[in-house]
């Protein structure tokens, strides 16, 4: 099996002067879930090359066995430093697609025509689409063939308003993931803040927060098995 993981290329946290990017745990945990199953993993981003890492995700409180494993894995680090350019990706080459979160995707992948087209292609081909934390935000402008939002009528989750408030970025992000999904007609649900929470609607697999990243990856693996 061949899984495509899409990472952000955006590193600016609004106008704060602070850096953002992808969240390390949400990349590392699924990455090793896939690799340990013998899956081939390809990494891509809008700009290609090294995607920006959210510096907050390197803090001691957010380290897990997966992040520690990544930090001692030169081969994985090299693969991350050389992501493919999103525009060069052919969806027919992959069995599933996975989006790690972090705040970065809210700015670039949400509006990226290549990302939107890829999700539409995977969905139409009935291939699993997994997204965790802020990554469900990239579904904002993804539509069905009839022009309706892809998430309309679907059961989904994502980074909640209460979690965004807890990290004090409600007024910084371009939109709130929970609000956007509901505005697009999705049936949004959530678990307790910071606890693992997974929602599966057919081939659409969404997780609420960093603690949910392995659950989303494992559901994607289950669907491919």
């Amino acid at each position: 099996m061949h899984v495509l993981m899409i990472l952000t290329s955006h590193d600016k946290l609004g106008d704060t002067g602070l850096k953002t990017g992808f969240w390390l745990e949400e990349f590392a945990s699924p990455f090793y879930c896939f690799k340990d199953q013998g899956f081939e993993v390809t990494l891509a981003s809008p700009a290609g090359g090294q995607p920006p890492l959210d510096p907050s995700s390197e803090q001691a409180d957010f380290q897990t066995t997966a992040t520690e494993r990544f930090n001692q894995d030169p081969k994985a680090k090299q693969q991350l430093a050389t992501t493919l350019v999103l525009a060069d990706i052919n969806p027919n080459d992959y069995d599933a697609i996975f989006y790690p979160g972090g705040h970065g995707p809210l700015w670039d992948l949400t509006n990226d025509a290549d990302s939107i087209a890829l999700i539409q292609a995977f969905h139409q081909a009935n291939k699993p689409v997994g997204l965790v934390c802020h990554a469900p935000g990239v579904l904002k402008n993804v539509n069905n063939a009839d022009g309706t939002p892809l998430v309309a009528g679907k059961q989904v989750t994502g980074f909640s308003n209460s979690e965004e408030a807890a990290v004090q970025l409600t007024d910084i992000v371009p939109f709130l993931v929970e609000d956007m999904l509901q505005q697009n007609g999705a049936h949004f649900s959530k678990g307790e803040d910071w606890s693992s929470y997974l929602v599966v609607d057919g081939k659409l697999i969404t997780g609420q927060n960093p603690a949910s990243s392995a659950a989303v990856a494992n559901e994607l693996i289950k669907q491919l098995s």
Side-chain angles (χ1 to χ4, degrees), residues 123-221:
H123 182 67
Q124 287 164 9
N126 205 32
K127 295 176 180 178
V129 177
L131 315 99
V132 67
C133 199
H134 285 89
V138 309
L139 299 171
K140 183 173 189 278
N141 298 310
V142 182
N143 293 328
N144 294 303
D146 62 2
T148 58
L150 180 75
V151 298
K154 289 193 165 54
Q155 305 288 337
V156 298
T157 190
F159 203 61
S160 66
N161 289 355
S162 53
E163 287 167 320
E164 202 68 82
V167 297
Q168 301 182 326
L169 291 173
T170 300
D171 297 327
I172 305 299
V173 292
F175 62 90
L176 295 169
V177 174
E178 178 179 338
D179 286 358
M180 178 280 292
L181 290 168
Q182 291 177 322
Q183 287 160 6
N184 277 12
H187 301 296
F188 183 92
S189 61
K190 59 185 177 181
E192 290 182 23
D193 286 2
W194 315 115
S195 64
S196 179
Y197 185 76
L198 172 75
V199 172
V200 183
D201 191 320
K203 298 292 185 181
L204 183 63
I205 309 161
T206 48
Q208 181 176 328
N209 49 36
S212 316
S213 57
V216 176
N218 286 325
E219 172 62 29
L220 192 149
I221 290 165

Side-chain angles (χ1 to χ4, degrees), residues 4 7 9 20 29 37 44 50 55 64 70 80 84 88 92-93 105 113 116 121 126 129 139 155 157 188 206 221-222:
L4 176 65
L7 295 118
S9 293
T20 189
S29 183
Q37 286 294 317
Q50 176 72 55
T64 64
F70 174 76
L80 182 66
L84 302 181
D88 296 337
N92 298 325
D93 295 339
I116 292 167
N126 205 32
V129 177
L139 299 171
Q155 305 288 337
T157 190
F188 183 92
T206 48
I221 290 165
K222 182 175 142 192

Side-chain angles (χ1 to χ4, degrees), residues 22-39:
F22 73 93
W23 197 260
L24 182 57
E25 206 285 331
E26 296 169 30
F27 162 73
S29 183
F31 179 80
Y32 288 116
C33 286
F34 300 142
K35 296 291 266 190
D36 291 346
Q37 286 294 317
F39 288 7

